[in-house]
C-alpha cells in the first residue's frame, strides 16, 4: 500500500503541474488577445481618416473572412456540426458585425478615451452573461474585485473624457451588450472546438453580408487612402478581428470566461497608452495609479475560486 501511495503521489504532482502550466498558458493567450483588442480603437480612428464608417466595418470583415477562410481551407477543417451554427451566428452578430459597427459609429464623434468606457464595463457584462448562459457562479471575492476594478477603470476613463455623455454613448452601450454575448457564446464553443475555428467560421458565416455591405457602402462613401487609413484597416481586419480573437477564445477555453474577462480591465488603460503614442492624445498622472489598482484587482480575480 505504501509503495502504491508513493507511486500515486508523484503522478498527482505531475498532473497538478501540468494543469497549472496549462492555466498559465491560457492566461498568456487571453492577455495577448487583450493587447490586440487594445489597439482596435486607435486603429479604427486611423481607418476613419480614409474610409467611411460603414465601408470600414464591411471591408474589415471581408478581409478577415478571407484570412480565416484561407486557414480553414488550407488545413481542410470540416464544417462544424449543425448544433454549433446557432452559436456561431451569435458570435458573428456580436463580435464580427455588432461591436465593430457600433464602436466605429461612436468613434466618429467620440474620442478613443471616452469610447474606452465600454471596454471598462465589458468584463462585468461578460461575466454576468456567462453566469446566466452557462451557470457559472464566481465567488463573492471574485465579484468584489471585479466591481472594484471596473469602477476604477470607468472612473478613470470618464475623467479622461471630461465626464460628459455624448450621443455616441448609445452606440457604446449597445456595443457592450452584443460583444459580451459574442464573447460568452464564443467561449462556450471554444470548449468543444478550437478557438481559432470558432472565430474563423463566424467570419466565414458573415462573409456574404460583408461583401454586400462593402459593395453598397463603397458606392456611397468616398475612400481616400492614406498610410494611416490602410494600416488601421489591416490591423482591425487581421489583428483585432481574427488573430486577437483566436488567442482570446483559446485563453477563455482554458481559464474560464469570468476570469479571462477580468483581464480586459487592463484594456482601457492600454488603449489610452496607444492613444497617446499613435493619436497624440494627452493623459493625466492618474494613469499609473489606476493601472496599479487594476493590476491588483486582476490578481485577486485570478486567484478567486468560483
Amino acid at each position: 500500500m505504501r509503495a502504491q501511495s508513493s507511486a500515486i503521489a508523484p503522478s498527482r504532482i505531475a498532473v497538478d503541474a501540468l494543469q497549472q502550466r496549462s492555466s498559465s498558458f491560457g492566461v498568456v493567450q487571453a492577455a495577448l488577445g487583450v493587447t490586440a483588442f487594445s489597439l482596435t480603437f486607435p486603429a479604427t480612428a486611423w481607418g476613419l481618416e480614409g474610409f467611411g464608417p460603414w465601408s470600414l466595418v464591411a471591408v474589415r470583415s471581408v478581409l478577415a473572412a478571407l484570412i480565416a477562410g484561407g486557414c480553414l481551407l488550407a488545413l481542410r477543417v470540416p464544417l462544424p456540426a449543425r448544433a454549433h451554427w446557432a452559436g456561431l451566428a451569435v458570435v458573428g452578430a456580436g463580435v464580427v458585425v455588432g461591436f465593430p459597427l457600433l464602436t466605429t459609429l461612436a468613434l466618429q464623434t467620440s474620442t478613443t478615451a471616452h469610447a474606452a468606457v465600454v471596454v471598462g464595463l465589458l468584463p462585468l457584462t461578460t461575466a454576468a452573461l456567462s453566469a446566466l448562459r452557462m451557470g457559472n457562479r464566481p465567488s463573492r471575492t471574485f465579484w468584489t474585485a471585479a466591481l472594484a476594478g471596473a469602477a476604477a477603470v470607468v472612473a478613470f476613463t470618464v475623467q479622461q473624457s471630461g465626464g460628459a455623455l455624448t450621443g455616441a454613448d448609445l452606440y457604446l452601450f449597445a456595443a457592450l451588450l452584443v460583444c459580451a454575448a459574442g464573447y460568452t457564446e464564443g467561449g462556450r464553443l471554444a470548449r468543444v472546438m478550437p478557438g481559432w475555428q470558432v472565430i474563423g467560421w463566424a467570419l466565414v458565416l458573415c462573409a456574404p453580408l460583408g461583401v454586400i455591405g462593402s459593395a453598397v457602402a463603397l458606392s456611397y462613401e468616398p475612400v481616400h487612402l492614406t498610410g494611416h487609413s490602410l494600416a488601421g484597416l489591416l490591423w482591425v481586419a487581421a489583428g483585432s478581428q481574427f488573430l486577437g480573437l483566436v488567442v482570446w477564445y483559446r485563453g477563455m477555453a482554458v481559464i474560464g470566461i469570468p476570469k479571462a474577462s477580468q483581464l480586459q480591465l487592463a484594456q482601457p488603460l492600454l488603449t489610452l497608452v496607444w492613444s497617446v503614442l499613435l493619436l497624440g492624445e494627452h493623459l493625466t498622472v492618474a494613469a499609473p495609479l489606476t493601472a496599479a489598482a487594476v493590476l491588483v484587482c486582476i490578481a485577486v480575480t485570478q486567484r478567486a475560486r468560483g
Side-chain angles (χ1 to χ4, degrees):
M1 290 295 293
R2 290 183 179 179
Q4 184 177 4
S5 299
S6 61
I8 294 175
S11 64
R12 289 180 177 174
I13 294 175
V15 170
D16 291 342
L18 183 61
Q19 290 177 340
Q20 184 176 4
R21 191 176 306 160
S22 176
S23 178
S24 298
F25 187 52
V27 171
V28 170
Q29 291 183 100
L32 288 174
V34 169
T35 303
F37 300 154
S38 70
L39 280 161
T40 300
F41 286 171
T44 300
W46 273 9
L48 287 172
E49 293 180 11
F51 293 88
W54 296 88
S55 299
L56 180 61
V57 173
V59 173
R60 73 181 268 186
S61 68
V62 171
L63 292 179
L66 288 174
I67 297 172
C71 293
L72 292 169
L73 185 63
L75 296 176
R76 299 181 179 180
V77 177
L79 289 172
R82 183 178 300 178
H84 298 328
W85 282 107
L88 291 171
V90 174
V91 175
V95 303
V96 177
V97 179
F99 187 79
L101 178 59
L102 291 166
T103 53
T104 299
L105 292 172
L107 285 172
Q108 290 185 104
T109 57
S110 173
T111 65
T112 56
H114 189 82
V117 172
V118 69
V119 181
L121 296 175
L122 187 55
L124 274 180
T125 309
T126 303
L129 288 181
S130 172
L132 294 173
R133 177 70 176 89
M134 302 176 66
N136 295 324
R137 294 295 182 267
S139 66
R140 187 173 299 177
T141 301
F142 177 95
W143 283 114
T144 301
L147 286 168
V153 170
V154 170
F156 177 66
T157 49
V158 168
Q159 185 271 334
Q160 287 294 302
S161 63
L165 295 177
T166 68
D169 289 322
L170 292 177
Y171 289 131
L172 295 174
F173 288 132
L176 173 70
L177 293 175
V178 299
C179 188
Y183 280 172
T184 298
E185 198 65 20
R188 185 188 68 82
L189 288 173
R191 294 181 177 182
V192 296
M193 59 192 298
W196 77 271
Q197 293 182 24
V198 173
I199 185 57
W201 286 117
L203 285 164
V204 170
L205 184 64
C206 294
L209 182 62
V211 171
I212 296 173
S214 297
V216 174
L218 289 172
S219 66
Y220 285 96
E221 295 177 340
V223 175
H224 305 287
L225 283 181
T226 64
H228 276 180
S229 63
L230 187 57
L233 171 64
L234 292 177
W235 178 258
V236 294
S240 302
Q241 195 86 74
F242 183 65
L243 296 177
L245 285 168
V246 166
V247 292
W248 173 245
Y249 281 137
R250 291 186 66 179
M252 281 200 297
V254 174
I255 65 177
I257 296 174
K259 288 187 178 182
S261 68
Q262 299 315 303
L263 291 174
Q264 283 194 304
L265 288 169
Q267 186 173 326
L269 302 178
L270 290 172
T271 297
L272 292 169
V273 170
W274 299 127
S275 298
V276 171
L277 297 177
L278 301 177
L279 304 176
E281 296 185 4
H282 300 284
L283 302 180
T284 68
V285 293
L289 297 177
T290 309
V294 168
L295 289 176
V296 170
C297 293
I298 290 175
V300 172
T301 58
Q302 290 302 307
R303 286 168 173 77
R305 294 184 180 274

